[in-house]
Amino acid sequence: MVRWLMPFCLVLALPLAAQSASASDEKKPVEPFADLEVGGVADGQYLPLALGRDRTGLGLRTRASVGWDNNIFKEDRNLDNGLFGDAVAQAWVGHNFGLVALGARGTVAGRLYFGEPDADMWDLKLGGFVKVPYGGGGWGFGISADVLYQQLQTYELTGPLTRQDDLRASGGIARVHVGYSLSFLIFELGFTGKTTDFSEENAVPSYDNWEIGSDFSVYINAWDVLEIRPYIEFSYAWFRDQFDLQDDGTLLRQEDDLQLLKFNYGADVRLDIGLIEAEARVYSLRQDDSAAGFNRYWQYGLRGALDLNLYEPLRITFGLDAWHREYDDRVDVDSLDPDSTVKTTFERYAMLWTEVAYNVYSFLYLGGRYSYSRRISDVNAAGYAVHTATLFVELNF
């Protein structure tokens, strides 16, 4: 499948070759994160089932890359390096009619490793939204939804990485929101439901799961220069055929299916002062399981990206995704310490990336990208280090 994704991405550019302006009452969003998202699976990341951005106007961003990866399967003890080619395309169309706004979006991405057929990845996401905008004040509400179908090398479902050959995921997510706008303040309440279905493999219990949640946030807009969104989220997930485990990884009891309760709070920040556009999220996440504590942890993280617009034809972006996680009741299987049962089990992750793109002509960009990922883990076989470097051609309408 990945072999037709690259030409398909380029074909997508043809019907969208004309750019349409966004609705007149909307400011161009600050989107340094888009430089990470346009990589899709291009950085080998698992982007979990999440809602896409609700955007009006007509746009397309497509990229074809060639690059080098020094640890294809993300295993420190079994390093494989190789060359790859990948491509990704994002397209969106939408319009604000005043009383109602609606739109659609899609992303398709794929990576082909030359000489490594088991390493191929692909990712397809489709979605859309319909909503009554807040406008200058008053009530607003709407719904946004996405579906995905993907094959990656690693997935993170309950905590540590899951590595499976040909493990494919399909899923859907929808969020309904209602809110009230008071000048520069918007108070918003949302309810989310999602489901993920994984392909089955021999002797591997199903990872299929459902999740429902709610969230509350406050949008604070200061002169369209600084936007801050503190938020709080709760969610409850249950798995079809995963069981609760003791702290040493043994089964608690056969009939107790795994259930997870998550509590997440933090803040999103966007800054636009012309020469600098930045976007970041700082958060704290608590996960509890339904019984034994094997999957209980606290996680603290920061994710951010920054565009430097010092010279108009040149786009320079820096990004960071980092977190620290501590498990409450889990044996450190990598430790030789006889008292490891009382030692805190932790995982840490950091990804640093940068890219430079030069506007050669109109919508045509040439550029390069480098990323470094490091995961340190007390959980067996979950740690790795990866360097990737790519050269790309991009069309950005």
Side-chain angles (χ1 to χ4, degrees):
M1 182 175 182
V2 69
R3 289 169 174 80
W4 57 263
L5 283 177
M6 294 184 190
F8 181 62
C9 291
L10 298 177
V11 171
L12 279 176
L14 299 179
L16 291 175
Q19 183 178 12
S20 172
S22 298
S24 60
D25 61 341
E26 293 190 5
K27 180 176 180 291
K28 179 183 179 295
V30 177
E31 293 187 307
F33 275 167
D35 295 321
L36 173 63
E37 293 167 355
V38 82
V41 296
D43 277 329
Q45 288 218 116
Y46 168 47
L47 301 180
L49 181 57
L51 289 172
R53 297 171 185 256
D54 296 342
R55 292 186 280 200
T56 55
L58 180 63
L60 173 73
R61 192 173 186 187
T62 182
R63 176 183 295 184
S65 308
V66 293
W68 173 79
D69 186 336
N70 83 319
N71 191 357
I72 296 174
F73 297 102
K74 302 179 185 63
E75 294 179 329
D76 279 348
R77 297 175 180 85
N78 185 23
L79 294 177
D80 288 291
N81 63 76
L83 298 174
F84 62 83
D86 63 29
V88 60
Q90 293 179 324
W92 64 91
V93 59
H95 189 73
N96 186 348
F97 295 95
L99 294 178
V100 65
L102 54 88
R105 55 183 173 258
T107 301
V108 59
R111 171 175 287 191
L112 171 65
Y113 281 92
F114 304 118
E116 293 285 352
D118 292 335
D120 296 347
M121 298 181 286
W122 42 265
D123 188 34
L124 174 64
K125 293 184 176 75
L126 300 172
F129 70 92
V130 57
K131 61 184 177 182
V132 174
Y134 295 110
W139 292 96
F141 56 89
I143 182 171
S144 185
D146 287 271
V147 295
L148 70 75
Y149 186 48
Q150 62 185 193
Q151 175 177 294
L152 303 181
Q153 298 156 350
T154 60
Y155 292 86
E156 186 161 332
L157 305 170
T158 61
L161 289 176
T162 296
R163 292 184 174 92
Q164 297 289 334
D165 292 335
D166 299 324
L167 181 62
R168 300 177 181 179
S170 60
I173 183 172
R175 178 178 181 265
V176 177
H177 76 268
V178 60
Y180 191 81
S181 173
L182 289 171
S183 182
F184 63 91
L185 291 176
I186 299 177
F187 301 91
E188 187 172 285
L189 177 66
F191 299 93
T192 302
K194 62 182 178 180
T195 179
T196 308
D197 182 88
F198 290 87
S199 60
E200 309 299 334
E201 296 199 352
N202 294 332
V204 177
S206 172
Y207 291 106
D208 301 350
N209 62 84
W210 287 81
E211 185 172 337
I212 56 174
S214 63
D215 62 88
F216 177 75
S217 57
V218 180
Y219 291 85
I220 306 169
N221 190 327
W223 306 286
D224 288 335
V225 173
L226 177 65
E227 183 179 298
I228 303 174
R229 174 186 170 256
Y231 70 89
I232 183 171
E233 297 177 349
F234 297 90
S235 68
Y236 173 73
W238 64 98
F239 289 76
R240 191 183 76 185
D241 197 20
Q242 291 288 318
F243 300 105
D244 264 323
L245 302 176
Q246 302 279 15
D247 60 357
D248 60 359
T250 58
L251 281 175
L252 179 67
R253 47 185 178 272
Q254 283 289 126
E255 69 278 6
D256 192 3
D257 289 348
L258 177 63
Q259 302 165 69
L260 300 176
L261 180 65
K262 296 179 183 178
F263 167 56
N264 181 9
Y265 63 91
D268 294 327
V269 179
R270 293 187 181 189
L271 175 69
D272 184 359
I273 56 175
L275 294 179
I276 297 177
E277 295 176 283
E279 189 174 3
R281 165 172 286 195
V282 57
Y283 66 91
S284 177
L285 171 65
R286 171 64 180 179
Q287 175 175 286
D288 282 300
D289 59 12
S290 48
F294 186 69
N295 292 300
R296 294 177 186 170
Y297 62 75
W298 276 102
Q299 179 173 319
Y300 312 94
L302 170 65
R303 182 175 181 234
L306 181 148
D307 279 341
L308 292 179
N309 306 309
L310 304 178
Y311 177 56
E312 186 173 350
L314 195 65
R315 186 183 73 230
I316 303 175
T317 307
F318 300 95
L320 166 69
D321 185 4
W323 50 258
H324 171 85
R325 179 186 297 166
E326 295 183 1
Y327 291 87
D328 290 6
D329 194 14
R330 191 169 197 154
V331 173
D332 176 6
V333 297
D334 282 348
S335 176
L336 299 179
D337 185 351
D339 297 324
S340 62
T341 55
V342 297
K343 178 184 176 181
T344 299
T345 300
F346 70 87
E347 289 188 289
R348 293 171 184 156
Y349 172 81
M351 184 182 74
L352 301 170
W353 58 275
T354 184
E355 70 174 46
V356 177
Y358 186 79
N359 188 193
V360 178
Y361 175 76
S362 185
F363 50 78
L364 177 63
Y365 293 79
L366 298 178
R369 180 185 183 93
Y370 168 78
S371 70
Y372 171 72
S373 301
R374 180 71 172 113
R375 186 163 181 147
I376 302 172
S377 177
D378 289 335
V379 180
N380 192 33
Y384 60 84
V386 181
H387 296 265
T388 62
T390 62
L391 297 175
F392 62 82
V393 178
E394 178 181 308
L395 302 179
N396 193 346
F397 298 95

